Amino acid sequence: MIKNIAWSEAISVNNKKIDDQHKHLIELTNNLIDHSNEKADSALISESLDELVKYTRTHFRDEEQLLEACNYPKLNDHKEEHELFILKVSNFCMDVMDKKATVTQEIITFLVEWLLNHTSKDDLDYKHYLA
Ligand code: FEO
């Protein structure tokens, strides 16, 4: 069983739009966790993974625009983190669509850990640069 995750003030970046997007990412992640824990239909699990990945792309784009606007000095490193994640997860999603892979608990655990680590460390690093 993978445990649900929760947003907390400790990971607030003091920007409503980004905090709301992080909250929504957590909500979508929890949907995926719930479907996986309930051993839901594999199409439903793939659908929730797809929704999470699509929203993650939107969030990364918005966050990068904001960091660019406030001249965040580590923007390139941050973008690289985002790109690596998207590349890894997109490849995995393609394999799922091609039926070369299934959405396993290991993959979901990887996603959850990456998101928790990224929002609680990398994202918090830019907090004081936001206008
Ligand atoms: Fe909120 Fe860098 O992702």
Side-chain angles (χ1 to χ4, degrees), residues 18 22 25 59-60 63 67 78 82 114 118-119 122-123 126:
I18 299 297
H22 284 159
L25 275 178
H59 166 62
F60 285 171
E63 190 177 86
L67 297 183
H78 203 100
H82 289 170
W114 192 93
H118 187 74
T119 48
D122 303 320
D123 285 350
Y126 65 66

Side-chain angles (χ1 to χ4, degrees), residues 7 27-28 43 45 51-52 56 64 99 106 108 114 129:
W7 186 89
E27 199 177 299
L28 293 176
I45 297 176
E51 201 182 348
L52 173 63
T56 304
E64 287 169 14
K99 307 230 183 296
E106 276 104 318
I108 298 173
W114 192 93
Y129 291 88

Side-chain angles (χ1 to χ4, degrees), residues 78-128:
H78 203 100
K79 273 185 175 173
E80 209 171 294
E81 285 289 317
H82 289 170
E83 277 158 21
L84 283 173
F85 178 79
I86 289 293
L87 186 70
K88 183 163 178 138
V89 179
S90 300
N91 285 340
F92 176 72
C93 286
M94 279 198 300
D95 284 349
V96 170
M97 276 161 59
D98 292 345
K99 307 230 183 296
K100 287 188 213 148
T102 49
V103 187
T104 59
Q105 296 242 319
E106 276 104 318
I107 290 293
I108 298 173
T109 303
F110 163 80
L111 283 171
V112 171
E113 282 175 359
W114 192 93
L115 283 171
L116 282 177
N117 193 51
H118 187 74
T119 48
S120 65
K121 291 188 183 142
D122 303 320
D123 285 350
L124 277 191
D125 190 74
Y126 65 66
K127 180 174 177 171
H128 298 296

Side-chain angles (χ1 to χ4, degrees), residues 19-36:
D19 280 347
D20 284 348
Q21 289 190 347
H22 284 159
K23 286 175 191 171
H24 191 53
L25 275 178
I26 286 171
E27 199 177 299
L28 293 176
T29 305
N30 284 335
N31 282 345
L32 177 62
I33 291 172
D34 290 345
H35 290 323
S36 166

Side-chain angles (χ1 to χ4, degrees), residues 38-68:
E38 289 156 7
K39 306 207 181 318
D41 184 69
S42 63
L44 188 60
I45 297 176
S46 302
E47 218 172 276
S48 35
L49 175 63
D50 194 47
E51 201 182 348
L52 173 63
V53 174
K54 281 188 184 139
Y55 190 73
T56 304
R57 283 176 188 276
T58 303
H59 166 62
F60 285 171
R61 188 202 58 215
D62 289 351
E63 190 177 86
E64 287 169 14
Q65 279 175 357
L66 183 71
L67 297 183
E68 208 165 328

